[in-house]
């Protein structure tokens, strides 16, 4: 895969991520007392910016093109990152983000709306990777050259069927499958290593036959390097080291911010940090 | 295919599973470019060896990983494949339930689930391999069609229906090799319509799957006592044939539902749910597993006896209910 590493391009994607972070803060504030999935949304922001800003071959004018890359969002509690990315890419208008979490809108819950680039309704963890295996296998059988990207949380790797899917990806030779793991080290009840140890995740993935690539999940340049390292000989795992709640100083690395409401003061703090260049 | 008396006899000898996967599915594969058959390490047991050799590109074995099987099937269906996924009825409907709900039901994907050894066909293997709640789970899922075949011919017809049907569907197969024949070559399978095997006036015996033949036996015994029974094969459990059921309610004084399945949530419940919306309908007797696994394993007939599911026992039950 040819990705543009130039300073200009990195800075373009960084600017995009900053805009997405601003949109996400607005969405979180508009959700009011109901709150929103802060932690996993803000940990995935730069991953999503790199995907939509550079990596994914998708076209909002032709959203169902058979040759498009597929993105399945398994850790679906990152809509605060996904919906702004869809707005940036032109799948939805930025104004539509105002309908986030509004009853009956298409941006509430874990929607399924392929016509606006939402290809999968996740939320129940550990299930999308199997679907991704099916889609990647279909590409091989039909001789079509799309990639299937599955964005997963680290906590969901506790689910057993995830490993069934990893095993089958290698068995079926799916080098067009890319499991992106948002390694933010927290699940609902605390540290992943305390709740259910993942241990040496790189070694686990490699032993399942994956081309395993580590990167800093908030560093645009490093993310680009990681996606550039995708191999055409094995299924790929891009393990992105991230911070849950990244950019919200009061929420970073704090499990209680998995799902929570932000106050106006907290919003102002986070926005000032973002605009002051303190986040990314 | 030209179906003769001889064909049907040979299919009965094969049983439902071998007729479905060994006869019908290879025929479908010749017509249907998009077909994919997915199994979880049961190619041999499901009589798919011939199919696998004949159509290697349309066959996928995922190993002993039933959940992954459904996810992969969903991914294939999203890319336009018409998928038949199969393993034991117990594993496919129970272990896989959430994958089925999230992917096939929620996203309305074109995957056909074929559950083999439904009911207590795997009699001596014990509870792990029995499926006596599969219809309950599948029936609860929005958009899911649920079917149960009375004999090998009907299993063959259902395979062809499933290939044409768009959307998620579950077929339970419980006819073992040498399973009794209910229908002859004149049978016309009408999906979603109750099939009347024979008409009577006192009790309507509404059965599905292997119990249709037991109902036929029960009706013959009752006939000798002057009790006239209609035998209705409710092969489509969901959606229910309301019109067909209403006719049965209107013309009998007792309704008996008979299934190789729990009486909670299965075919009998489907009948009762509709019946409850009508006034002045006859009483219903639920014949099936009465919230019990019959913990001691044994032959299928032995287990049927534990649950009152043989023709003789069904006849006794109807006789006492009509007293």
């Amino acid at each position: 895969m040819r990705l543009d590493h130039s300073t200009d391009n990195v800075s373009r994607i960084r600017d995009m991520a900053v805009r997405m972070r601003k949109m996400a803060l607005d969405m979180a504030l508009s959700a009011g007392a109901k709150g929103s999935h802060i932690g996993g949304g803000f940990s995935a922001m730069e991953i999503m910016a790199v995907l939509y800003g550079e990596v994914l071959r998708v076209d909002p004018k032709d959203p169902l093109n058979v040759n498009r890359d597929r993105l399945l969002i398994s850790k679906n509690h990152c809509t605060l990152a996904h919906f702004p990315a869809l707005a940036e890419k032109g799948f939805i208008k930025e104004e539509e983000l105002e309908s986030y979490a509004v009853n009956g809108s298409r941006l509430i819950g874990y929607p399924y709306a392929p016509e606006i680039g939402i290809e999968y309704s996740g939320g129940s963890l550990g299930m999308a990777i199997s679907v991704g295996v099916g889609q990647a296998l279909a590409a091989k059988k039909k001789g079509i050259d799309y990639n299937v990207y599955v964005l997963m949380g680290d906590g969901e790797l506790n689910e057993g069927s995830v490993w069934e899917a990893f095993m089958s990806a290698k068995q079926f030779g799916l080098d067009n499958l890319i499991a992106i793991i948002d390694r933010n080290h927290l699940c609902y009840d605390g540290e992943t290593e305390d709740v259910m140890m993942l241990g040496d995740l790189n070694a686990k993935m490699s032993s399942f036959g994956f081309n395993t690539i580590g990167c800093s999940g908030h560093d645009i340049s490093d993310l680009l390097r990681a996606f550039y390292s995708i191999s055409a000989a094995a299924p790929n795992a891009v393990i992105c080291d991230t911070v849950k709640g990244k950019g919200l100083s009061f929420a970073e690395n704090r499990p209680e911010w998995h799902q929570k409401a932000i106050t106006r003061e907290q919003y102002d703090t986070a926005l000032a940090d973002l605009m002051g260049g303190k986040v990314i | 295919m030209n179906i003769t008396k001889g064909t049907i006899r040979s299919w009965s000898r094969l049983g439902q599973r071998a007729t479905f996967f060994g006869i019908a599915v290879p025929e479908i594969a010749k017509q249907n470019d998009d077909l994919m058959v997915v199994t979880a390490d049961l190619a041999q047991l499901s009589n798919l060896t011939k199919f696998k050799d004949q159509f290697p590109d349309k066959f996928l074995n995922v190993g002993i990983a039933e959940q992954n099987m459904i996810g992969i099937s969903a991914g294939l269906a999203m890319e336009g494949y018409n998928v038949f996924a199969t393993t034991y009825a117990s594993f496919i409907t129970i272990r896989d339930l959430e994958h089925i709900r999230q992917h096939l039901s929620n996203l309305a994907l074109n995957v056909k689930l074929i559950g083999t050894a439904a009911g207590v066909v795997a009699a001596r293997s014990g509870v792990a391999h029995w499926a006596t709640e599969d219809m309950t789970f599948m029936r609860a899922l929005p958009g899911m069609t649920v079917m149960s075949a009375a004999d090998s011919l009907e299993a063959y017809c259902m395979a062809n229906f499933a290939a044409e049907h768009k959307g998620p569907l579950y077929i339970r197969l419980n006819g073992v090799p040498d399973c009794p024949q209910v229908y002859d070559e004149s049978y016309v399978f009408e999906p979603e319509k109750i099939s009347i095997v024979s008409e009577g006036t006192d009790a309507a015996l509404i059965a599905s799957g292997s119990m249709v033949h037991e109902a036929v036996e029960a009706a013959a015994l009752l006939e000798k006592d002057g009790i006239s029974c209609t035998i209705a094969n409710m092969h489509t459990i969901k959606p229910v044939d309301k019109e067909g059921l209403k006719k049965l309610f209107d013309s009998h004084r007792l309704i008996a539902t008979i299934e190789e399945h729990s009486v909670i949530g299965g075919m009998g419940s489907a009948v009762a749910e509709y019946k409850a919306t009508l006034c002045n309908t006859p009483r219903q007797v639920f014949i099936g597993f009465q919230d019990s696994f019959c913990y001691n394993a044994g032959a299928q007939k032995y287990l049927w006896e534990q649950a009152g599911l043989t023709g003789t026992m069904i006849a006794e039950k109807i006789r006492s209910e009509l007293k």
Side-chain angles (χ1 to χ4, degrees), chain A residues 107-149:
Chain A
L107 298 185
I108 189 169
Y110 304 133
Y112 175 57
E115 72 282 2
I116 54 167
I118 303 175
E119 302 236 9
Y120 180 72
S121 171
S124 177
L125 295 172
M127 300 170 80
I129 187 70
S130 293
V131 179
V133 168
Q135 289 188 312
L137 185 64
K140 292 287 178 194
K141 293 178 76 66
K142 295 180 176 188
I144 308 176
D145 155 44
Y146 61 77
N147 282 338
V148 181
Y149 297 85

Side-chain angles (χ1 to χ4, degrees), chain B:
Chain B
M1 171 182 269
N2 181 30
I3 297 169
T4 64
K5 282 189 172 57
T7 326
I8 295 173
R9 271 200 305 276
S10 75
W11 290 356
S12 293
R13 281 197 295 276
L14 288 173
Q16 292 183 3
R17 186 174 62 196
T19 304
F20 194 99
F21 289 111
I23 308 286
V25 170
E27 272 179 36
I28 293 164
K30 284 179 197 153
Q31 319 283 331
N32 194 319
D33 288 342
D34 299 327
L35 182 73
M36 274 297 291
V37 178
V38 189
T39 183
D41 193 39
L42 287 185
Q44 291 193 48
L45 196 71
S46 303
N47 307 87
L48 279 165
T49 318
K50 188 178 117 190
F51 178 84
K52 176 186 155 190
D53 293 341
Q54 205 176 348
F55 302 99
D57 293 343
K58 294 179 190 292
F59 174 82
L60 186 73
N61 194 339
V62 302
I64 308 169
E66 292 83 5
Q67 298 175 72
N68 195 32
M69 173 172 76
I70 301 302
I72 290 176
S73 299
L76 290 168
M78 282 168 124
E79 300 304 330
Y81 284 99
N82 185 4
V83 185
F84 280 38
T86 182
T87 180
Y88 276 90
S90 53
F91 307 154
I92 207 166
T93 60
I94 304 171
R95 184 187 285 257
D96 294 348
L97 183 56
E98 198 190 4
H99 274 270
I100 295 171
R101 177 177 182 269
Q102 280 301 102
H103 297 146
L104 312 190
S105 178
N106 185 30
L107 307 184
L109 295 178
N110 199 20
V111 177
K112 321 302 160 48
L113 306 168
I114 317 302
T116 59
V120 292
V121 165
R124 290 179 178 85
S125 299
V127 173
H129 287 66
W130 301 347
T132 47
E133 317 85 44
D134 52 319
M135 289 197 279
T136 309
F137 295 129
M138 291 300 102
R139 216 166 62 79
L141 298 173
M144 181 69 70
T145 296
V146 180
M147 293 182 154
S148 174
D151 65 6
S152 295
L153 173 62
E154 193 162 68
Y156 173 87
C157 298
M158 277 181 189
N160 285 291
F161 170 73
E164 296 302 318
H165 179 78
K166 294 273 182 282
L169 172 147
Y170 170 60
I171 295 176
R172 78 189 311 248
L173 300 177
N174 61 351
V176 294
D178 292 317
C179 63
Q181 177 188 334
V182 173
Y183 295 108
D184 64 19
E185 65 279 11
S186 65
Y187 182 50
V188 179
F189 175 70
E190 285 186 85
E192 301 176 18
K193 291 279 171 214
I194 285 173
S195 157
I196 302 298
V197 179
S198 66
E199 286 193 86
T201 51
D202 297 319
L205 311 184
I206 306 176
S208 65
S210 55
M211 287 298 118
V212 177
H213 178 260
E214 296 306 308
V216 170
E217 296 215 323
L221 294 169
L222 290 164
E223 186 74 42
K224 290 178 189 160
D225 300 335
I227 298 170
S228 161
C229 297
T230 292
I231 301 156
N233 171 19
M234 191 155 132
H235 50 64
T236 308
I237 290 87
K238 185 183 174 186
V240 294
D241 173 12
K242 291 182 178 175
E243 196 185 335
L245 282 176
K246 176 95 174 33
K247 277 186 200 159
L248 294 172
F249 300 156
D250 288 346
S251 52
H252 297 83
R253 58 196 170 98
L254 184 74
I255 301 294
T257 46
I258 311 161
E259 55 197 315
E260 192 180 350
H261 188 275
S262 169
V263 295
I264 299 175
M267 183 270 282
S269 297
V271 171
E273 284 161 18
Y274 173 58
K275 201 164 82 64
T277 66
L278 305 172
C279 296
N280 301 321
T281 56
R283 209 156 54 79
Q284 178 177 350
V285 181
F286 294 79
I287 299 175
F289 288 92
Q290 304 290 330
D291 200 17
S292 158
F293 283 126
C294 302
Y295 282 104
N296 296 325
Q300 188 179 22
K301 272 278 160 64
Y302 166 81
L303 293 167
W304 284 2
E305 281 162 9
Q306 304 296 300
L309 291 176
T310 64
T312 313
M313 294 173 83
I314 294 165
E316 266 170 41
K317 178 76 177 162
I318 303 298
R319 216 176 276 126
S320 71
E321 293 288 340
L322 282 173
K323 258 182 193 160

Side-chain angles (χ1 to χ4, degrees), chain A residues 215-230:
Chain A
C215 70
S216 165
H218 298 298
D219 180 329
I220 304 294
S221 181
D222 205 33
L223 278 162
L224 285 170
R225 177 197 56 78
F227 284 104
Y228 189 81
S229 309
I230 284 171

